[in-house]
Amino acid sequence: MSFVRDFFAPTTPNNVPLSRVGSAQQDLPHDDSTEPGPSTTSAPTQTIPNSSVPLYDEDEEDFNARAVPRRSSDKSRLYPPSARDATSSVCSTATSTPVPSRAPSPPPFYYSGTSSCSSDSESEPDSPLLGPTRRRQSWREGERPRWWSLPFGSGSSSVNLAEPWRRRRQWRDMKGLVRTCKRIFRRMVRHPFFPRTPVTILLSLLLFAIFGVSLTFLLIYILNPDKEPLPWRGYCTLPQRSAGPPSLSLSPTALLQTPIPTNFTPTTFPSSDLDSYAPAGVFVGVFSVDTAVERRMLVRSTWASHVRSREGAGEGDGGLGTSRTIVRFILAQPRKDWERRLKLEMEIYKDIVILPVPERMNDGKTHAFFSWAANHSWVPPIYSDTFETVPTNFTYLNDTNAAPALAMHDPIQARLDQSTNAHPRPWVRPDFVVKADDDSFIMLAELEAHLRVELYKDPLPPPSLAYMQKQQFPRAESDAQDDAEQTVAADEVDHNPTSTAYLTRPPPMFAAAPSALDLPMSADPLVFWGYLVKNRFMAGELYALSYALVDWIGNDPLVKTMTRGAEDKQTSKWIRAHPRAQQVRWSSERCWIYDHPRAGTVYSHGFLFPSEVSRVQEAVRRDLEHLAQQMSKNEVSGTTYASAPGQYVPPPEKWAHSSVAKFHARYSPPVPDLNLDHSVEALVEGSDMSMLHDDGSLTPESAWKYREGRRRRYQGKRVGGTIVVHFIKKNMWFLETAAALLQGDEVTPLEHALEDSRERGREKSKPTEDVDAEAPLSVADGEVERRAGLGNDQEPGQMRTDLDGWTMVRRARGTQGSNNIQHTISHLH
């Protein structure tokens, strides 16, 4: 760039151009005694003022590079000297020199590194005429070394040769980047629209802040996979999935498919023979951190030990069902400040397990827990011999260990065994190992009942040899049509509640080898139970693995290389990699596992009870019948084409409706200023308190009087309700959940009054056979209301009907304007 600058720079009067003068002979010192010839007089040397050379400027260099070149009159700068001018020297400043009378003797030929100038001042490198001296690099310097110049046999030497080149290039690139940023910033500042006053600066900062917040929310919305509420009402009505691993080609939102099912019966839980099976051994590991002391105390005092959590609703079973259910807190290595506190907590409560891994959820803690559980998890044995069905052929039944020190929330049967027997019975391996989060509220009796049913189910049959060969060897192009037909058939079987076969394709990288068919049949159950998210993996708030799967996870070398990542998704990948992946039963429960009503997520709705689910199922069945009729009418009229079997149909939007929670909206009470009992009742799905309005059509006191008792909500059964409430991020939410699921009257005062009225009516109807047993109830309506505390200030118009053996009270409040509504109170005895 210096050459270009000198080339295009205009000549100034102060600069004196160099001339072609003298011969090479004159470069040597002249002496009259040794060098003959006529005397010559040298021209006076013109002195040049000490003009300073301008310093190098990057902007000036760029400007000069873009400048229009000017033609120079000095041809000596454009063309090399000719042969006749070979004797000229650039060191002399004389304009002309007389030609000698005869040719001088030739100088001796030798090479010297010194300058040919005759004076020290002329050879000075700091001469003002020369400008700043810059060493011109050779064309070889600065280039990457070629392969022929690299030394062989020493890797370190070649790296050392290339390292300076890399460093120079990186430094040059960085300088160029900094220079470019400076130029851009300089141009921005000089722009007329750049803010310069305080007001414009503040407005600009405000606009930038709004843009940043908007961009953040946009990215959150784009990256969030849950954009619409889930149809939880359909989950509670349609049969749940219980088959092999779901196909990866299955739609994440697949729920309904053609033909629309209309003649099915919603499954009821539990079955009548549940208590005839021996209870399952369940080891619940609650993941926690060292600082969550308050949350661990809440767990210990609520669902881990409460009688209604361990025994169920109603009179319960005396804790016999959860006599083999153990709860322990799983922690990683604590920080130094918390080591002593955790040691004291472990000494007092004896329910903490510390794993030898750092505290990072998605960095191997889940795998470390299952590896520990495969060797060190134990549960109490079966203490009662009154069960009709007891497991006898499991391979892990003979593994025993001495009874450990008990925690305060361990089963009462184990405590009695250790307090009454000098040698307590040894503990055995669990049937299921459960991983749970500490923001989950678990009803232990419900969890054990569902796992007990899965324990005694028949195992899935192994895949056929033809199916395994199809998975291993690709077929020709002519079989593409057969592949499509089999894929549709696989999806149909996968969603058919009456089929136990599994025909979906496993992932190619985890496809089982054909030699797996030669393995001996195992009697141990292979069960993966939880909430199936998007038909891909079990949600991480709670999922259960049978002990055979836990033992395999803790010892398989392939699984040990797959420990990093989202822990719930990684666990599903482990199960797909099992040698018998096609025989692992993926059992999903998406009705009784949900998020807290205040969470506002797609999984949120009010606290759910069996009575409300029965009403939901009836409404969904009516919707299915209406949808099937509408589709058939459209096909007959020709407005739409006939849907092929197995085609997925979007569920109705009202299946996602909740009377309590609103998706992506913060929860607010139906009316302000509710007391404590009323505010908890307002969180119950479908309750009268959750549907209050400010118009005064129904007051909180009336809604509280007409509420359902626990016996009514559980329909007289011990289990069958909520299993897990997740996403409890605040302790207040935790206590609300405990109050809604563990507290409450078994029978309300109104239900007591109705039962007494019915009993008196039956006694009066015994002498007369022709009188209906329900008739006396209408006579005693005033007495029922008086005993229920309703008083005489209630409006008339009550009407009693009988629905499936239950009495339903309907009140017509008002007959004019917008207050004309018909309010269904509850199902009563």
Side-chain angles (χ1 to χ4, degrees), residues 706-726:
Y706 286 101
R707 73 188 186 279
E708 289 182 325
R710 288 180 57 86
R711 188 172 67 182
R712 162 64 66 184
R713 285 176 172 170
Y714 279 92
Q715 298 179 340
K717 298 180 180 180
R718 184 178 65 88
V719 292
T722 296
I723 304 174
V724 178
V725 178
H726 180 235

Side-chain angles (χ1 to χ4, degrees), residues 799-812:
M799 176 181 60
R800 300 187 183 277
T801 60
D802 186 80
L803 179 61
D804 296 334
W806 299 96
T807 303
M808 182 174 63
V809 179
R810 298 183 181 274
R811 300 178 57 87

Side-chain angles (χ1 to χ4, degrees), residues 445-461:
E446 302 284 353
L447 176 64
E448 188 277 332
H450 283 77
L451 295 181
R452 190 193 308 187
V453 172
E454 297 294 334
L455 180 65
Y456 293 100
K457 280 185 178 180
D458 295 333
L460 295 179

